[in-house]
Short mmCIF file of all heavy atoms in Angstrom, two decimals:
data_model
loop_
_atom_site.label_atom_id
_atom_site.label_comp_id
_atom_site.label_asym_id
_atom_site.label_seq_id
_atom_site.Cartn_x
_atom_site.Cartn_y
_atom_site.Cartn_z
N MET A 1 -14.45 -7.30 13.85
CA MET A 1 -13.64 -6.29 14.50
C MET A 1 -13.01 -5.39 13.44
O MET A 1 -12.51 -5.86 12.42
CB MET A 1 -12.57 -7.01 15.32
CG MET A 1 -11.82 -6.14 16.24
SD MET A 1 -12.82 -5.78 17.67
CE MET A 1 -11.77 -4.69 18.52
N PHE A 2 -13.03 -4.10 13.69
CA PHE A 2 -12.56 -3.15 12.69
C PHE A 2 -11.07 -3.25 12.41
O PHE A 2 -10.60 -2.83 11.35
CB PHE A 2 -12.94 -1.72 13.05
CG PHE A 2 -12.35 -1.20 14.32
CD1 PHE A 2 -11.06 -0.74 14.37
CD2 PHE A 2 -13.12 -1.13 15.48
CE1 PHE A 2 -10.51 -0.24 15.54
CE2 PHE A 2 -12.60 -0.64 16.64
CZ PHE A 2 -11.29 -0.20 16.68
N SER A 3 -10.30 -3.81 13.32
CA SER A 3 -8.84 -3.88 13.11
C SER A 3 -8.46 -4.73 11.90
O SER A 3 -7.36 -4.60 11.38
CB SER A 3 -8.15 -4.39 14.36
OG SER A 3 -8.60 -5.69 14.68
N GLU A 4 -9.36 -5.58 11.44
CA GLU A 4 -9.09 -6.35 10.22
C GLU A 4 -9.11 -5.47 8.98
O GLU A 4 -8.53 -5.83 7.96
CB GLU A 4 -10.16 -7.43 10.03
CG GLU A 4 -10.13 -8.52 11.06
CD GLU A 4 -11.22 -9.54 10.81
OE1 GLU A 4 -11.43 -9.92 9.64
OE2 GLU A 4 -11.87 -9.94 11.79
N TYR A 5 -9.78 -4.34 9.06
CA TYR A 5 -10.00 -3.49 7.89
C TYR A 5 -9.36 -2.11 7.98
O TYR A 5 -9.19 -1.46 6.95
CB TYR A 5 -11.51 -3.30 7.67
CG TYR A 5 -12.23 -4.57 7.34
CD1 TYR A 5 -12.85 -5.32 8.33
CD2 TYR A 5 -12.27 -5.06 6.04
CE1 TYR A 5 -13.51 -6.49 8.03
CE2 TYR A 5 -12.91 -6.24 5.73
CZ TYR A 5 -13.53 -6.95 6.74
OH TYR A 5 -14.18 -8.12 6.44
N ILE A 6 -9.04 -1.65 9.17
CA ILE A 6 -8.55 -0.29 9.36
C ILE A 6 -7.10 -0.33 9.81
O ILE A 6 -6.72 -1.12 10.67
CB ILE A 6 -9.39 0.46 10.43
CG1 ILE A 6 -10.88 0.40 10.11
CG2 ILE A 6 -8.91 1.91 10.58
CD1 ILE A 6 -11.29 1.04 8.80
N GLN A 7 -6.28 0.54 9.23
CA GLN A 7 -4.89 0.65 9.66
C GLN A 7 -4.52 2.12 9.80
O GLN A 7 -5.09 2.98 9.13
CB GLN A 7 -3.95 -0.03 8.68
CG GLN A 7 -3.80 0.69 7.35
CD GLN A 7 -2.83 -0.02 6.43
OE1 GLN A 7 -2.40 -1.14 6.70
NE2 GLN A 7 -2.49 0.62 5.34
N ILE A 8 -3.55 2.35 10.66
CA ILE A 8 -2.99 3.70 10.82
C ILE A 8 -1.50 3.59 10.56
O ILE A 8 -0.79 2.84 11.23
CB ILE A 8 -3.25 4.25 12.24
CG1 ILE A 8 -4.76 4.34 12.48
CG2 ILE A 8 -2.58 5.61 12.42
CD1 ILE A 8 -5.14 4.71 13.90
N SER A 9 -1.05 4.29 9.54
CA SER A 9 0.35 4.25 9.14
C SER A 9 0.81 5.68 8.86
O SER A 9 0.17 6.38 8.08
CB SER A 9 0.52 3.38 7.90
OG SER A 9 1.84 3.47 7.42
N PRO A 10 1.91 6.10 9.45
CA PRO A 10 2.40 7.46 9.21
C PRO A 10 2.71 7.74 7.74
O PRO A 10 2.66 8.89 7.31
CB PRO A 10 3.69 7.55 10.04
CG PRO A 10 3.64 6.42 10.98
CD PRO A 10 2.75 5.38 10.40
N GLU A 11 2.96 6.69 6.96
CA GLU A 11 3.29 6.86 5.54
C GLU A 11 2.06 7.02 4.65
O GLU A 11 2.19 7.33 3.47
CB GLU A 11 4.10 5.67 5.03
CG GLU A 11 5.47 5.51 5.66
CD GLU A 11 5.41 4.79 6.99
OE1 GLU A 11 4.56 3.90 7.17
OE2 GLU A 11 6.22 5.13 7.87
N VAL A 12 0.88 6.77 5.19
CA VAL A 12 -0.34 6.83 4.39
C VAL A 12 -1.25 7.92 4.95
O VAL A 12 -1.63 7.86 6.13
CB VAL A 12 -1.09 5.47 4.39
CG1 VAL A 12 -2.37 5.55 3.58
CG2 VAL A 12 -0.17 4.36 3.87
N ARG A 13 -1.56 8.91 4.13
CA ARG A 13 -2.47 10.00 4.49
C ARG A 13 -2.10 10.65 5.83
O ARG A 13 -2.95 10.96 6.64
CB ARG A 13 -3.92 9.53 4.51
CG ARG A 13 -4.51 9.00 3.23
CD ARG A 13 -4.91 10.03 2.20
NE ARG A 13 -5.82 11.03 2.64
CZ ARG A 13 -7.15 11.00 2.48
NH1 ARG A 13 -7.71 9.98 1.87
NH2 ARG A 13 -7.88 12.00 2.88
N PHE A 14 -0.79 10.81 6.05
CA PHE A 14 -0.28 11.49 7.24
C PHE A 14 -0.74 10.85 8.54
O PHE A 14 -0.96 11.51 9.55
CB PHE A 14 -0.66 12.98 7.22
CG PHE A 14 -0.20 13.68 5.99
CD1 PHE A 14 -1.08 13.96 4.96
CD2 PHE A 14 1.13 14.04 5.84
CE1 PHE A 14 -0.66 14.59 3.81
CE2 PHE A 14 1.57 14.68 4.69
CZ PHE A 14 0.67 14.96 3.67
N GLY A 15 -0.92 9.52 8.53
CA GLY A 15 -1.28 8.80 9.74
C GLY A 15 -2.76 8.77 10.05
O GLY A 15 -3.15 8.31 11.12
N ARG A 16 -3.57 9.22 9.11
CA ARG A 16 -5.02 9.12 9.33
C ARG A 16 -5.44 7.67 9.21
O ARG A 16 -4.87 6.91 8.41
CB ARG A 16 -5.77 9.94 8.28
CG ARG A 16 -5.61 11.41 8.46
CD ARG A 16 -6.49 12.15 7.48
NE ARG A 16 -6.32 13.58 7.66
CZ ARG A 16 -6.39 14.46 6.71
NH1 ARG A 16 -6.63 14.08 5.47
NH2 ARG A 16 -6.23 15.74 6.96
N PRO A 17 -6.45 7.26 9.96
CA PRO A 17 -6.93 5.88 9.83
C PRO A 17 -7.53 5.66 8.44
O PRO A 17 -8.36 6.45 7.99
CB PRO A 17 -8.00 5.75 10.91
CG PRO A 17 -8.08 7.06 11.61
CD PRO A 17 -7.16 8.01 10.97
N CYS A 18 -7.07 4.60 7.77
CA CYS A 18 -7.51 4.30 6.41
C CYS A 18 -7.92 2.84 6.31
O CYS A 18 -7.51 2.00 7.11
CB CYS A 18 -6.38 4.54 5.41
SG CYS A 18 -5.95 6.27 5.20
N VAL A 19 -8.71 2.55 5.29
CA VAL A 19 -9.05 1.17 4.97
C VAL A 19 -7.78 0.51 4.46
O VAL A 19 -7.08 1.07 3.60
CB VAL A 19 -10.18 1.11 3.93
CG1 VAL A 19 -10.47 -0.32 3.53
CG2 VAL A 19 -11.44 1.81 4.45
N LYS A 20 -7.45 -0.65 5.02
CA LYS A 20 -6.22 -1.36 4.65
C LYS A 20 -6.12 -1.54 3.14
O LYS A 20 -7.09 -1.87 2.48
CB LYS A 20 -6.16 -2.72 5.32
CG LYS A 20 -5.81 -2.66 6.77
CD LYS A 20 -5.65 -4.05 7.35
CE LYS A 20 -5.29 -3.93 8.82
NZ LYS A 20 -5.15 -5.26 9.43
N GLY A 21 -4.92 -1.30 2.63
CA GLY A 21 -4.65 -1.49 1.21
C GLY A 21 -5.14 -0.37 0.32
O GLY A 21 -5.06 -0.47 -0.89
N THR A 22 -5.67 0.70 0.94
CA THR A 22 -6.16 1.85 0.16
C THR A 22 -5.63 3.14 0.80
O THR A 22 -5.02 3.12 1.86
CB THR A 22 -7.70 1.93 0.14
OG1 THR A 22 -8.17 2.40 1.42
CG2 THR A 22 -8.33 0.60 -0.19
N ARG A 23 -5.89 4.23 0.14
CA ARG A 23 -5.62 5.55 0.71
C ARG A 23 -6.95 6.23 1.09
O ARG A 23 -7.01 7.43 1.26
CB ARG A 23 -4.84 6.40 -0.29
CG ARG A 23 -3.45 5.82 -0.57
CD ARG A 23 -2.65 6.67 -1.53
NE ARG A 23 -2.49 8.04 -1.12
CZ ARG A 23 -1.63 8.49 -0.19
NH1 ARG A 23 -0.85 7.63 0.42
NH2 ARG A 23 -1.56 9.77 0.10
N ILE A 24 -7.99 5.44 1.22
CA ILE A 24 -9.31 5.97 1.57
C ILE A 24 -9.43 6.00 3.09
O ILE A 24 -9.35 4.96 3.75
CB ILE A 24 -10.43 5.10 0.96
CG1 ILE A 24 -10.29 5.07 -0.56
CG2 ILE A 24 -11.80 5.63 1.37
CD1 ILE A 24 -11.20 4.06 -1.25
N SER A 25 -9.58 7.21 3.63
CA SER A 25 -9.62 7.34 5.08
C SER A 25 -11.00 7.00 5.64
O SER A 25 -12.01 7.06 4.94
CB SER A 25 -9.22 8.75 5.51
OG SER A 25 -10.27 9.66 5.27
N VAL A 26 -11.00 6.64 6.90
CA VAL A 26 -12.26 6.40 7.62
C VAL A 26 -13.14 7.63 7.50
O VAL A 26 -14.34 7.53 7.27
CB VAL A 26 -11.96 6.07 9.10
CG1 VAL A 26 -13.23 6.11 9.93
CG2 VAL A 26 -11.27 4.72 9.21
N TYR A 27 -12.54 8.80 7.62
CA TYR A 27 -13.31 10.04 7.59
C TYR A 27 -13.89 10.31 6.21
O TYR A 27 -14.98 10.88 6.11
CB TYR A 27 -12.44 11.20 8.09
CG TYR A 27 -11.86 10.87 9.45
CD1 TYR A 27 -10.50 10.62 9.60
CD2 TYR A 27 -12.69 10.73 10.56
CE1 TYR A 27 -9.98 10.27 10.84
CE2 TYR A 27 -12.16 10.39 11.79
CZ TYR A 27 -10.81 10.16 11.93
OH TYR A 27 -10.30 9.79 13.15
N ASP A 28 -13.20 9.88 5.15
CA ASP A 28 -13.78 9.97 3.80
C ASP A 28 -15.06 9.14 3.73
O ASP A 28 -16.10 9.62 3.26
CB ASP A 28 -12.81 9.45 2.74
CG ASP A 28 -11.57 10.30 2.55
OD1 ASP A 28 -11.61 11.51 2.89
OD2 ASP A 28 -10.55 9.75 2.08
N VAL A 29 -14.97 7.90 4.22
CA VAL A 29 -16.13 7.01 4.18
C VAL A 29 -17.28 7.58 5.01
O VAL A 29 -18.44 7.59 4.57
CB VAL A 29 -15.75 5.59 4.66
CG1 VAL A 29 -16.98 4.70 4.78
CG2 VAL A 29 -14.72 4.96 3.73
N LEU A 30 -16.97 8.08 6.19
CA LEU A 30 -18.02 8.68 7.03
C LEU A 30 -18.65 9.88 6.33
O LEU A 30 -19.87 10.07 6.40
CB LEU A 30 -17.44 9.11 8.38
CG LEU A 30 -16.93 7.98 9.27
CD1 LEU A 30 -16.29 8.57 10.53
CD2 LEU A 30 -18.03 7.01 9.62
N GLY A 31 -17.85 10.65 5.65
CA GLY A 31 -18.38 11.80 4.90
C GLY A 31 -19.31 11.37 3.78
O GLY A 31 -20.35 12.01 3.56
N TYR A 32 -18.95 10.29 3.08
CA TYR A 32 -19.82 9.79 2.01
C TYR A 32 -21.16 9.35 2.60
O TYR A 32 -22.23 9.66 2.05
CB TYR A 32 -19.19 8.62 1.27
CG TYR A 32 -17.84 8.91 0.64
CD1 TYR A 32 -16.84 7.96 0.64
CD2 TYR A 32 -17.57 10.15 0.07
CE1 TYR A 32 -15.60 8.21 0.08
CE2 TYR A 32 -16.33 10.40 -0.50
CZ TYR A 32 -15.35 9.44 -0.50
OH TYR A 32 -14.13 9.69 -1.06
N LEU A 33 -21.11 8.62 3.71
CA LEU A 33 -22.35 8.16 4.34
C LEU A 33 -23.17 9.34 4.85
O LEU A 33 -24.39 9.38 4.67
CB LEU A 33 -22.03 7.21 5.49
CG LEU A 33 -21.45 5.85 5.09
CD1 LEU A 33 -20.89 5.12 6.30
CD2 LEU A 33 -22.49 5.00 4.39
N ALA A 34 -22.51 10.32 5.44
CA ALA A 34 -23.21 11.49 5.98
C ALA A 34 -23.86 12.32 4.87
O ALA A 34 -24.90 12.95 5.09
CB ALA A 34 -22.25 12.36 6.78
N SER A 35 -23.27 12.28 3.68
CA SER A 35 -23.83 13.06 2.58
C SER A 35 -25.02 12.35 1.93
O SER A 35 -25.64 12.88 1.01
CB SER A 35 -22.77 13.36 1.52
OG SER A 35 -22.43 12.20 0.81
N GLY A 36 -25.31 11.13 2.41
CA GLY A 36 -26.47 10.42 1.90
C GLY A 36 -26.18 9.27 0.96
O GLY A 36 -27.10 8.62 0.47
N MET A 37 -24.90 9.01 0.69
CA MET A 37 -24.57 7.88 -0.18
C MET A 37 -24.89 6.57 0.54
O MET A 37 -24.66 6.45 1.75
CB MET A 37 -23.09 7.89 -0.56
CG MET A 37 -22.71 8.98 -1.54
SD MET A 37 -20.93 8.93 -1.95
CE MET A 37 -20.90 7.56 -3.10
N SER A 38 -25.39 5.61 -0.20
CA SER A 38 -25.63 4.29 0.37
C SER A 38 -24.35 3.47 0.28
O SER A 38 -23.41 3.81 -0.46
CB SER A 38 -26.75 3.59 -0.39
OG SER A 38 -26.32 3.27 -1.70
N ILE A 39 -24.33 2.38 1.01
CA ILE A 39 -23.17 1.50 0.96
C ILE A 39 -22.96 0.99 -0.46
O ILE A 39 -21.83 0.95 -0.96
CB ILE A 39 -23.31 0.34 1.97
CG1 ILE A 39 -23.19 0.90 3.39
CG2 ILE A 39 -22.28 -0.75 1.72
CD1 ILE A 39 -23.45 -0.11 4.48
N SER A 40 -24.05 0.66 -1.15
CA SER A 40 -23.89 0.16 -2.53
C SER A 40 -23.36 1.24 -3.46
O SER A 40 -22.58 0.96 -4.38
CB SER A 40 -25.20 -0.43 -3.05
OG SER A 40 -26.22 0.53 -3.08
N GLU A 41 -23.76 2.49 -3.25
CA GLU A 41 -23.22 3.59 -4.08
C GLU A 41 -21.73 3.79 -3.81
O GLU A 41 -20.96 4.02 -4.75
CB GLU A 41 -23.97 4.89 -3.78
CG GLU A 41 -25.38 4.90 -4.31
CD GLU A 41 -26.17 6.12 -3.85
OE1 GLU A 41 -25.98 6.59 -2.70
OE2 GLU A 41 -26.98 6.60 -4.65
N ILE A 42 -21.33 3.67 -2.56
CA ILE A 42 -19.91 3.82 -2.22
C ILE A 42 -19.09 2.70 -2.84
O ILE A 42 -18.04 2.96 -3.46
CB ILE A 42 -19.71 3.88 -0.69
CG1 ILE A 42 -20.39 5.13 -0.11
CG2 ILE A 42 -18.22 3.88 -0.34
CD1 ILE A 42 -20.47 5.16 1.40
N THR A 43 -19.57 1.48 -2.72
CA THR A 43 -18.81 0.35 -3.29
C THR A 43 -18.80 0.39 -4.81
O THR A 43 -17.86 -0.10 -5.43
CB THR A 43 -19.33 -1.01 -2.79
OG1 THR A 43 -20.71 -1.13 -3.11
CG2 THR A 43 -19.13 -1.17 -1.30
N GLU A 44 -19.83 0.98 -5.40
CA GLU A 44 -19.84 1.15 -6.86
C GLU A 44 -18.78 2.17 -7.29
O GLU A 44 -18.05 1.96 -8.26
CB GLU A 44 -21.22 1.61 -7.31
CG GLU A 44 -21.40 1.64 -8.80
CD GLU A 44 -22.83 2.01 -9.18
OE1 GLU A 44 -23.76 1.38 -8.66
OE2 GLU A 44 -22.98 2.94 -9.99
N ASP A 45 -18.68 3.28 -6.54
CA ASP A 45 -17.69 4.31 -6.86
C ASP A 45 -16.28 3.90 -6.47
O ASP A 45 -15.31 4.34 -7.08
CB ASP A 45 -18.04 5.62 -6.15
CG ASP A 45 -19.22 6.35 -6.77
OD1 ASP A 45 -19.68 5.93 -7.86
OD2 ASP A 45 -19.70 7.33 -6.18
N PHE A 46 -16.16 3.09 -5.43
CA PHE A 46 -14.86 2.66 -4.91
C PHE A 46 -14.87 1.14 -4.76
O PHE A 46 -15.08 0.60 -3.67
CB PHE A 46 -14.57 3.31 -3.54
CG PHE A 46 -14.58 4.81 -3.59
CD1 PHE A 46 -15.73 5.52 -3.26
CD2 PHE A 46 -13.46 5.51 -3.99
CE1 PHE A 46 -15.75 6.91 -3.31
CE2 PHE A 46 -13.47 6.89 -4.06
CZ PHE A 46 -14.62 7.59 -3.73
N PRO A 47 -14.65 0.42 -5.86
CA PRO A 47 -14.74 -1.05 -5.81
C PRO A 47 -13.75 -1.71 -4.87
O PRO A 47 -13.93 -2.86 -4.49
CB PRO A 47 -14.51 -1.48 -7.26
CG PRO A 47 -14.16 -0.26 -8.02
CD PRO A 47 -14.37 0.94 -7.17
N GLU A 48 -12.71 -0.98 -4.47
CA GLU A 48 -11.75 -1.54 -3.53
C GLU A 48 -12.31 -1.61 -2.11
O GLU A 48 -11.71 -2.24 -1.23
CB GLU A 48 -10.42 -0.77 -3.56
CG GLU A 48 -10.54 0.69 -3.14
CD GLU A 48 -10.78 1.64 -4.30
OE1 GLU A 48 -11.60 1.35 -5.19
OE2 GLU A 48 -10.16 2.71 -4.30
N LEU A 49 -13.46 -0.97 -1.87
CA LEU A 49 -14.12 -1.04 -0.57
C LEU A 49 -15.19 -2.12 -0.58
O LEU A 49 -15.95 -2.23 -1.54
CB LEU A 49 -14.78 0.31 -0.22
CG LEU A 49 -13.86 1.49 0.00
CD1 LEU A 49 -14.67 2.73 0.29
CD2 LEU A 49 -12.88 1.22 1.12
N SER A 50 -15.25 -2.85 0.48
CA SER A 50 -16.31 -3.85 0.64
C SER A 50 -17.32 -3.32 1.65
O SER A 50 -17.01 -2.40 2.43
CB SER A 50 -15.71 -5.16 1.17
OG SER A 50 -15.22 -4.96 2.49
N PRO A 51 -18.52 -3.86 1.64
CA PRO A 51 -19.49 -3.45 2.66
C PRO A 51 -18.95 -3.68 4.08
O PRO A 51 -19.20 -2.89 4.99
CB PRO A 51 -20.70 -4.34 2.38
CG PRO A 51 -20.60 -4.66 0.93
CD PRO A 51 -19.12 -4.77 0.66
N GLU A 52 -18.16 -4.73 4.26
CA GLU A 52 -17.57 -5.00 5.57
C GLU A 52 -16.56 -3.92 5.97
O GLU A 52 -16.49 -3.54 7.14
CB GLU A 52 -16.89 -6.38 5.58
CG GLU A 52 -17.84 -7.53 5.40
CD GLU A 52 -18.24 -7.80 3.95
OE1 GLU A 52 -17.60 -7.27 3.02
OE2 GLU A 52 -19.22 -8.55 3.75
N ALA A 53 -15.80 -3.42 5.01
CA ALA A 53 -14.84 -2.35 5.30
C ALA A 53 -15.58 -1.06 5.67
O ALA A 53 -15.14 -0.34 6.57
CB ALA A 53 -13.93 -2.11 4.10
N ILE A 54 -16.68 -0.80 5.02
CA ILE A 54 -17.48 0.39 5.35
C ILE A 54 -18.06 0.25 6.75
O ILE A 54 -18.03 1.19 7.55
CB ILE A 54 -18.57 0.61 4.29
CG1 ILE A 54 -17.91 0.95 2.96
CG2 ILE A 54 -19.54 1.71 4.73
CD1 ILE A 54 -18.85 0.95 1.77
N GLN A 55 -18.55 -0.94 7.08
CA GLN A 55 -19.06 -1.20 8.43
C GLN A 55 -17.94 -1.03 9.45
O GLN A 55 -18.16 -0.49 10.54
CB GLN A 55 -19.65 -2.61 8.51
CG GLN A 55 -20.32 -2.93 9.82
CD GLN A 55 -21.56 -2.09 10.05
OE1 GLN A 55 -22.30 -1.81 9.12
NE2 GLN A 55 -21.77 -1.67 11.27
N ALA A 56 -16.74 -1.47 9.11
CA ALA A 56 -15.59 -1.32 10.02
C ALA A 56 -15.28 0.16 10.27
O ALA A 56 -14.89 0.52 11.38
CB ALA A 56 -14.37 -2.03 9.44
N CYS A 57 -15.47 0.99 9.26
CA CYS A 57 -15.27 2.44 9.45
C CYS A 57 -16.25 2.98 10.49
O CYS A 57 -15.88 3.78 11.35
CB CYS A 57 -15.44 3.18 8.13
SG CYS A 57 -14.14 2.87 6.93
N LEU A 58 -17.48 2.53 10.42
CA LEU A 58 -18.48 2.95 11.41
C LEU A 58 -18.11 2.44 12.80
O LEU A 58 -18.22 3.19 13.79
CB LEU A 58 -19.87 2.46 11.01
CG LEU A 58 -20.48 3.12 9.79
CD1 LEU A 58 -21.72 2.36 9.34
CD2 LEU A 58 -20.81 4.57 10.08
N GLN A 59 -17.67 1.21 12.89
CA GLN A 59 -17.26 0.65 14.18
C GLN A 59 -16.07 1.41 14.75
O GLN A 59 -16.00 1.68 15.95
CB GLN A 59 -16.92 -0.83 14.04
CG GLN A 59 -18.12 -1.69 13.76
CD GLN A 59 -17.72 -3.12 13.42
OE1 GLN A 59 -16.58 -3.40 13.06
NE2 GLN A 59 -18.68 -4.03 13.53
N PHE A 60 -15.12 1.74 13.88
CA PHE A 60 -13.94 2.49 14.31
C PHE A 60 -14.35 3.85 14.88
O PHE A 60 -13.90 4.24 15.95
CB PHE A 60 -12.98 2.69 13.13
CG PHE A 60 -11.75 3.46 13.49
CD1 PHE A 60 -10.65 2.82 14.03
CD2 PHE A 60 -11.69 4.83 13.30
CE1 PHE A 60 -9.51 3.53 14.38
CE2 PHE A 60 -10.55 5.55 13.64
CZ PHE A 60 -9.46 4.90 14.18
N ALA A 61 -15.22 4.55 14.18
CA ALA A 61 -15.67 5.87 14.64
C ALA A 61 -16.43 5.75 15.96
O ALA A 61 -16.24 6.58 16.86
CB ALA A 61 -16.55 6.52 13.57
N ALA A 62 -17.26 4.74 16.10
CA ALA A 62 -18.01 4.54 17.34
C ALA A 62 -17.05 4.25 18.50
O ALA A 62 -17.23 4.76 19.61
CB ALA A 62 -19.01 3.41 17.18
N SER A 63 -16.03 3.46 18.22
CA SER A 63 -15.04 3.13 19.25
C SER A 63 -14.28 4.39 19.69
O SER A 63 -14.07 4.60 20.89
CB SER A 63 -14.06 2.10 18.69
OG SER A 63 -13.00 1.88 19.58
N ARG A 64 -13.90 5.21 18.74
CA ARG A 64 -13.21 6.46 19.07
C ARG A 64 -14.11 7.37 19.92
O ARG A 64 -13.66 7.99 20.86
CB ARG A 64 -12.83 7.21 17.79
CG ARG A 64 -11.56 6.79 17.18
CD ARG A 64 -10.46 7.80 17.50
NE ARG A 64 -9.20 7.22 17.14
CZ ARG A 64 -8.37 7.71 16.24
NH1 ARG A 64 -8.68 8.81 15.59
NH2 ARG A 64 -7.23 7.12 15.99
N GLU A 65 -15.37 7.44 19.54
CA GLU A 65 -16.32 8.28 20.26
C GLU A 65 -16.48 7.80 21.70
O GLU A 65 -16.50 8.60 22.62
CB GLU A 65 -17.67 8.27 19.53
CG GLU A 65 -18.68 9.22 20.08
CD GLU A 65 -18.34 10.68 19.83
OE1 GLU A 65 -17.47 10.98 19.00
OE2 GLU A 65 -18.97 11.54 20.49
N ARG A 66 -16.56 6.49 21.89
CA ARG A 66 -16.67 5.93 23.24
C ARG A 66 -15.47 6.29 24.08
O ARG A 66 -15.61 6.63 25.25
CB ARG A 66 -16.81 4.41 23.17
CG ARG A 66 -18.22 3.95 23.32
CD ARG A 66 -18.32 2.44 23.41
NE ARG A 66 -18.97 1.99 22.20
CZ ARG A 66 -18.42 1.32 21.21
NH1 ARG A 66 -17.18 0.94 21.29
NH2 ARG A 66 -19.10 1.01 20.15
N ARG A 67 -14.28 6.22 23.48
CA ARG A 67 -13.06 6.55 24.24
C ARG A 67 -13.03 8.01 24.63
O ARG A 67 -12.56 8.35 25.70
CB ARG A 67 -11.82 6.20 23.43
CG ARG A 67 -11.46 4.74 23.57
CD ARG A 67 -10.13 4.44 22.96
NE ARG A 67 -10.41 4.07 21.56
CZ ARG A 67 -9.65 4.37 20.54
NH1 ARG A 67 -8.54 5.02 20.72
NH2 ARG A 67 -9.97 3.99 19.34
N ILE A 68 -13.53 8.89 23.78
CA ILE A 68 -13.54 10.33 24.09
C ILE A 68 -14.41 10.59 25.31
O ILE A 68 -14.04 11.34 26.20
CB ILE A 68 -14.04 11.14 22.88
CG1 ILE A 68 -12.98 11.13 21.78
CG2 ILE A 68 -14.35 12.58 23.28
CD1 ILE A 68 -13.44 11.72 20.47
N PHE A 69 -15.58 9.95 25.37
CA PHE A 69 -16.49 10.20 26.47
C PHE A 69 -16.15 9.41 27.71
O PHE A 69 -16.68 9.66 28.78
CB PHE A 69 -17.94 9.91 26.04
CG PHE A 69 -18.48 11.00 25.16
CD1 PHE A 69 -18.70 10.76 23.82
CD2 PHE A 69 -18.75 12.26 25.66
CE1 PHE A 69 -19.19 11.76 22.99
CE2 PHE A 69 -19.23 13.27 24.85
CZ PHE A 69 -19.46 13.02 23.51
N SER A 70 -15.23 8.46 27.62
CA SER A 70 -14.83 7.67 28.78
C SER A 70 -13.78 8.38 29.62
O SER A 70 -13.54 8.01 30.76
CB SER A 70 -14.26 6.32 28.34
OG SER A 70 -15.25 5.57 27.69
N VAL A 71 -13.15 9.37 29.06
CA VAL A 71 -12.05 10.04 29.75
C VAL A 71 -12.55 10.93 30.83
O VAL A 71 -13.52 11.42 31.02
CB VAL A 71 -11.20 10.85 28.74
CG1 VAL A 71 -10.14 11.67 29.44
CG2 VAL A 71 -10.60 9.92 27.74
#
């Protein structure tokens, strides 16, 4: 479940969803993936991210997307 890895705090990145314990936003991670970076390239550049945290970012985005279309 993504809630183990993602937090939203008004004090961090103006309340954007971020990987817990970092200032790396979900949207940053999605942007890296969209630009063609692999999970291993992201974790190499950002050792504080785990493959599970990156997967949680994808799950978080998918969950948000589902809620948008459910309304």
